[in-house]
Amino acid sequence: MHAMLRTLSGLFLSHFLLLIFLVAAVKAQTTHYPPEGDQIPGPDCLNAAKPSVGQSKICTPEDYKAWLEDITHWRMEARIRAGYSDQEYERQELKWTQSSFMQPQMMVEDRYFYDPEAGRYTVDRYLDDLEKRYGGIDSVLVWPVYPNIGIDNRNQYDLVRAMPGGIAGVKQMVADFHRRGVKVFFPFMAWDQGTRDVGMADWEATAKEMAEVDADGINGDTLRGIPRAFRTASDSVGHPLALEPEHAFPSPFEALAWNNMAWGYWEYPNAPMVSAFKWLEPRHMLNVCDRWNHSKVDNLQYAFFNGVGYETWENIWGIWNQITPRDAEAVRRVANIERAMANLLVSAEWQPYAETEQTGIFASRWPLANTTLWTLVNRTQYDVEGRQLRLPVQAGMRYFDLWHGVELSPLTVDDHLLLSFAIEAHGYGAILATTSEPDSSLQKLMAQMKQLSARPLGSYSAEWIFAPQQMTPTTKTSPASVAPDGMVRIPAGEFSFQVNGIEIEGFNDVGVDVQYPWENSPRRNHLHQLRVDSFWMDRYPVTNAQFKKFLDAVHYHPKDDLNFLRDWQNGTYPAGWENKPVTWVSLEDARAYAAWAGKRLPHEWEWQYAAQGDDGRLYPWGNRWDEAVVPTPDKGRTLRGPDPVNAHPQGASAFGVEDLVGNVWQWTDEFSDEHTRAATLRGGSYYQPQGSVWYFPQAYRLDQHGKLLLMAPSKDRAGTLGFRCVQDVQ
């Protein structure tokens, strides 16, 4: 026993001394290029130059050699500091992450993904559109949460279960993606700690739900590395997940060992920077993300230079930012080459800034056995032709221009050869050198790229165009000459309709928020003078008792009934809730009630006019917030339920309409473009989840509205969302 202990002690001491030696060796050499984020700048000689001078030929071979030695030394040091192990990258069940190049974040509200009329997921339609426009995807991030999360206390797990068909429907949807060879991610929000308590650790809840729906990975929203507990939890349920944080890992990068993927929010100087994580671990997959930018040239060129992927995200929280035709075609061609060359793009011998012949052309070299790939980008505004690469002569080596789909005939000069080919302005190139005969997959790639490259990227439009919206028309009701029961007459008048969307993201760009019929584009801020005809408006929101009469009269039951009247039991509302506003009703449910009652839902400007009058006040009662005339906010993690509709008469508007603000949100108008439907909600609610700025924001002021993205009744219904009706005047 003592001998064994002495042996173990000796082994520990020898390993400890080796570690000290390595650290001492690292400290003895000063690293010049430690990245401050997740990018390593190129050689100083490039970054010191003025872009107008040209970038690639001002450096000497010695400059490149010193730079490469420096970042190689930094890699050794960083791995030691991180205690790096590559075992997660050796796992067969996660090897697919190393070729997941194109991945969009997809809003579940996208109209190409789900058809509410037919009540079914349309995965094939969604994927067919992407294949047609830019060549398809490798994985998809299915997004059912922000910006709607927080309208009530449903947490991120509840919102997955609220999708049409519940868990069974979601699982079948995931299977539809798998049938097309697409891996499926869902998001995880560490900040979601103000809604319903899930009752277990988040990593356990995530692992359990992802196993239920057979998802392949999670994206860590806002996270700089997903904690290792998620790896342990998913492994423990026998359903290992790929982990993909949104942001760069902090130094010393320990999380690289178990986060096989990540997004890259990068900077784009003219000389491409190197992905620090790809350099540390060539099998790590980055998806470059720049969601609000209209031009994707920088993103795609940097991705190609680094041998990584791109986040082909177009539906941004319901705001459509479509990839331009030129960029879409570039995505198609870049993806074709990356998918075909995926085994080379994880080469441990990757050499960024491989030597090129011409100014403004940058290359990465990817050697593997008897084959080498070069990925090249042209960072200039003009076509560059002629000599591009100078290489040593190698017997039996053949050279293929993958981008153009042709074999090259090199020019031999003394002990080296020259490869000549064209790279168009802001374009790409790919060269494969191999001693092997072209196999069927290479032949297929060459044929595809020859056909595609026959038309230059520059011939495709680079113009970005916003998606126009339409407001769903509303049919007038039968007019009433005398006051219907429970309604208040709102007089006709001139009204200055001014309202602002309170979306958290989107800045003030065209395409944000909604587009009213008199506007030529969607925008965040709206101002319009209009004539409002007289109409009748419900004094209060529709109550549970009133909705029960409707159900009893017509036996209404929606086709998509998930979450319908979720707080009722046995066909009726809870005792004492008869005078509370009905909630858990979709836009379709509310319209059905209104039609039965001979009414309709109000236009948003009618709702605002009834609440605001003609003096521009900020609240129905005046210009200062008064907490005494609205329900007490609920800041907990459970919904207590709204107040009775007549509980706060002091909050009435000048026209006598009550319960407008601070109790339940109220449905008004619906808007749609080709990809998204949304409704404007008014009044805000009593529920205020705490702990994050990312929850659905309140809109208590009369010059603000909420915008709820619409998918299907099951998901659109909410515990804080009701409605009131209007009727036209004779």
Side-chain angles (χ1 to χ4, degrees), residues 295-308:
S295 170
K296 311 302 184 184
V297 172
D298 285 340
N299 313 142
L300 287 170
Q301 287 198 328
Y302 267 51
F304 199 54
F305 178 83
N306 282 277
V308 298

Side-chain angles (χ1 to χ4, degrees), residues 668-701:
T668 59
D669 285 309
E670 177 186 2
F671 298 82
S672 61
D673 59 34
E674 185 181 358
H675 285 270
T676 308
R677 295 166 51 240
T680 50
L681 308 184
R682 298 307 304 256
S685 79
Y686 71 94
Y687 181 63
Q688 299 177 7
Q690 301 295 294
S692 177
V693 299
W694 303 111
Y695 288 127
F696 194 78
Q698 293 291 350
Y700 297 136
R701 286 172 49 135

Side-chain angles (χ1 to χ4, degrees), residues 18-60:
L18 175 60
L19 180 59
I20 291 176
F21 171 78
L22 289 172
V23 172
V26 165
K27 288 185 175 180
Q29 193 175 2
T30 302
T31 301
H32 188 54
Y33 290 100
E36 295 183 2
D38 58 339
Q39 291 175 278
I40 303 173
D44 279 347
C45 53
L46 291 176
N47 299 310
K50 295 181 180 179
S52 60
V53 174
Q55 296 273 316
S56 70
K57 297 304 292 181
I58 62 173
C59 293
T60 66

Side-chain angles (χ1 to χ4, degrees), residues 8 24 140 225 531 569 579 677 715 721:
L8 290 174
V140 63
R531 171 75 181 180
Q569 291 184 356
N579 208 30
R677 295 166 51 240
K715 191 168 182 298
L721 177 52

Side-chain angles (χ1 to χ4, degrees), residues 476-492 532-540 594 597-603 606-607 609-611 655-657 660 724-730:
K476 284 186 172 293
T477 68
S478 298
S481 57
V482 298
D485 185 43
M487 302 192 85
V488 175
R489 181 163 183 164
I490 309 299
V532 180
D533 294 332
S534 182
F535 60 94
W536 304 99
M537 174 172 267
D538 288 341
R539 183 182 297 275
Y540 306 113
K599 304 176 183 181
R600 60 177 171 83
L601 297 183
H603 285 303
E606 292 175 322
W607 188 99
Y609 177 55
F655 294 134
V657 182
L660 287 156
R724 67 193 331 132
C725 298
V726 298
Q727 188 170 352
D728 296 299
V729 169
Q730 189 170 30

